[in-house]
Amino acid sequence: MKFVDQTRIFVKSGPGGNGIVSFRREKYVEFGGPNGGDGGKGGDITFEAVEGLNTLVDYRYKRHYKAPKGQHGMGKNMTGAAGNDMILKVPVGTQIYDEDQEFILADLAKEGDTITLLKGGEGGLGNTHFKTSTNRAPRRCTAGGEGEEMWIVLRLKLIADAGLLGLPNAGKSTFLSAVSRARPKIADYPFTTIRPQLGVVGFKNNEFVMADIPGLIEGASEGVGLGHRFLGHVERCGVLLHLIDGTQENVVDAYETIMNEVNEYGGELIGKPMIIGLNKIDSLTDEEITEKKAALEEASGDVVYPLSGATGGNVPEVLGALWEIVKVDMANRRKDEEEIEEEQEEETESTGGWSPI
């Protein structure tokens, strides 16, 4: 299945049905009064985040979504049937933007998150509503309300516990394939990975999800090379693994290039925990490893882990460092979810299960 993380679609809620003019026509009822029914309400446009989806590919090939309209009113004061709401299912982590991507309309970050983006039009009134003491046979009704419509942009940010960062050909895909069952394309040239990949990493008796995004280049934070979209996929990760190709001459420049883009992008990436890995040490001498590790530690002020995704050298140590941060992040998320659930339960108890519309 093709991975699609952004698409633009048109949505329209259903218009309401019209009210009608109708009068009683029973035998022996000489002056039957008005009995025109109201129109039914139009269907809403609702988005729901569900498990089991990890791409927006369905919305790439079908771009227009219109909810059903409400039915017109009928005689005998019968209200027309309401149009069914259109529920559009999207992957967890989907964000909804306006057409120009200036404002975020919704962030469906958890399973079950829903938002009614567009309300259906209200049904029109039948002539029964216009009966007065002086006008016993009104011939007036109202039309149903129009549905709302707009173009929106759906953008998917992958939900992962750890994310891989690095320049093209830094060995991110090799590392992911070494620690999980994911099988991204691997080759000895830049931009082998052209779309994000997810893999479930097993460490001792624990598991966590790791995301590999295409290599970033200078200007990524401004969208160069689709970098703005790629950075979004690791924005929600609990920890980042920054891999640096140890075979290149200046590893500090490589580190600073990525860090500049991360800082320029901002958002939730600022201050996020990061593990730095000096990759491809199987191609370096001990002297080169020591020299480049020291240079990176001086530039970053953090511990640098030499490793080799190809041979598995020092990979367990790196996974251990990642897991120590991931497990804390998992615990904090569970605590936040429990607090939200408790608040919702307390609110339900205080209102007796009733909530105003």
Side-chain angles (χ1 to χ4, degrees):
M1 180 183 293
K2 184 177 181 181
F3 181 84
V4 175
D5 61 352
Q6 184 167 311
T7 187
R8 175 174 171 269
I9 65 173
F10 175 82
V11 289
K12 180 179 181 180
S13 59
N18 299 331
I20 68 162
V21 174
S22 176
F23 297 92
R24 296 177 61 186
R25 285 294 180 265
E26 295 95 337
K27 192 175 183 180
Y28 305 120
V29 181
E30 183 177 1
F31 298 104
N35 69 350
D38 301 338
K41 176 183 174 298
D44 300 337
I45 294 289
T46 299
F47 286 86
E48 180 183 3
V50 299
E51 288 291 344
L53 295 178
N54 55 15
T55 176
L56 296 171
V57 66
D58 292 338
Y59 298 97
R60 170 63 61 86
Y61 300 107
K62 182 182 177 183
R63 296 295 184 96
H64 291 76
Y65 295 86
K66 299 179 181 179
K69 64 181 180 180
Q71 299 300 308
H72 301 317
M74 293 167 282
K76 299 183 180 179
N77 288 319
M78 290 192 293
T79 300
N84 294 327
D85 295 339
M86 177 172 282
I87 300 177
L88 302 177
K89 299 183 183 299
V90 294
V92 175
T94 298
Q95 294 181 325
I96 304 175
Y97 289 84
D98 68 303
E99 183 180 7
D100 298 324
Q101 299 189 56
E102 294 180 354
F103 305 100
I104 182 170
L105 307 177
D107 187 359
L108 307 178
K110 301 188 299 297
E111 180 184 4
D113 282 355
T114 61
I115 180 173
T116 299
L117 193 65
L118 301 178
K119 285 282 190 180
E122 295 296 330
L125 301 178
N127 64 333
T128 303
H129 289 273
F130 301 98
K131 180 176 66 174
T132 67
S133 59
T134 57
N135 184 5
R136 308 303 296 173
R139 297 182 177 276
R140 177 187 173 191
C141 63
T142 61
E146 292 294 326
E148 302 173 328
E149 62 181 56
M150 65 187 304
W151 283 92
I152 59 173
V153 173
L154 301 180
R155 182 181 178 190
L156 173 61
K157 289 186 177 181
L158 294 176
I159 304 296
D161 301 305
L164 292 171
L165 282 181
L167 292 172
N169 215 31
K172 301 184 297 298
S173 296
T174 301
F175 183 86
L176 182 64
S177 65
V179 300
S180 73
R181 292 186 178 180
R183 292 295 174 262
K185 183 178 179 182
I186 300 172
D188 189 22
Y189 55 83
F191 297 109
T192 308
T193 300
I194 58 175
R195 59 179 62 95
Q197 304 279 342
L198 285 179
V200 178
V201 178
F203 176 70
K204 296 183 178 179
N205 295 324
N206 307 295
E207 288 185 342
F208 60 93
V209 179
M210 180 174 288
D212 170 29
I213 65 171
L216 303 176
I217 57 177
E218 189 171 352
S221 60
E222 300 174 358
V224 177
L226 297 181
H228 197 273
R229 281 167 57 181
F230 294 155
L231 282 168
H233 286 297
V234 294
E235 191 173 0
R236 287 176 168 151
C237 295
V239 59
L240 302 176
L241 174 57
H242 183 176
L243 290 181
I244 299 166
D245 182 359
T247 62
Q248 57 190 334
E249 185 175 345
N250 195 327
V251 292
V252 173
D253 280 354
Y255 166 80
E256 292 179 344
T257 296
I258 294 297
M259 293 308 299
N260 287 339
E261 298 308 320
V262 168
N263 292 329
E264 286 294 325
Y265 181 85
E268 296 180 31
L269 289 181
I270 297 296
K272 190 173 292 293
M274 181 178 294
I275 301 295
I276 303 172
L278 179 64
N279 198 14
K280 305 183 182 181
I281 60 172
D282 54 298
S283 301
L284 302 177
T285 65
D286 292 341
E287 184 180 345
E288 290 174 324
I289 294 172
T290 302
E291 179 184 341
K292 293 183 176 182
K293 177 176 181 293
L296 282 174
E297 288 180 338
E298 182 179 354
S300 64
D302 292 321
V303 176
V304 174
Y305 292 82
L307 67 114
S308 171
T311 65
N314 291 340
V315 168
E317 288 79 358
V318 174
L319 292 181
L322 290 172
W323 172 246
E324 289 301 315
I325 300 175
V326 167
K327 70 179 181 181
V328 173
D329 181 64
M330 287 180 172
N332 290 336
R333 279 184 288 172
R334 280 195 298 267
K335 183 179 178 181
D336 292 340
E337 291 174 0
E338 290 173 357
E339 290 177 352
I340 293 173
E341 290 176 359
E342 289 177 359
E343 290 176 359
Q344 292 175 343
E345 289 176 359
E346 291 175 358
E347 183 177 351
T348 301
E349 291 175 358
S350 63
T351 59
W354 176 88
S355 62
I357 297 178

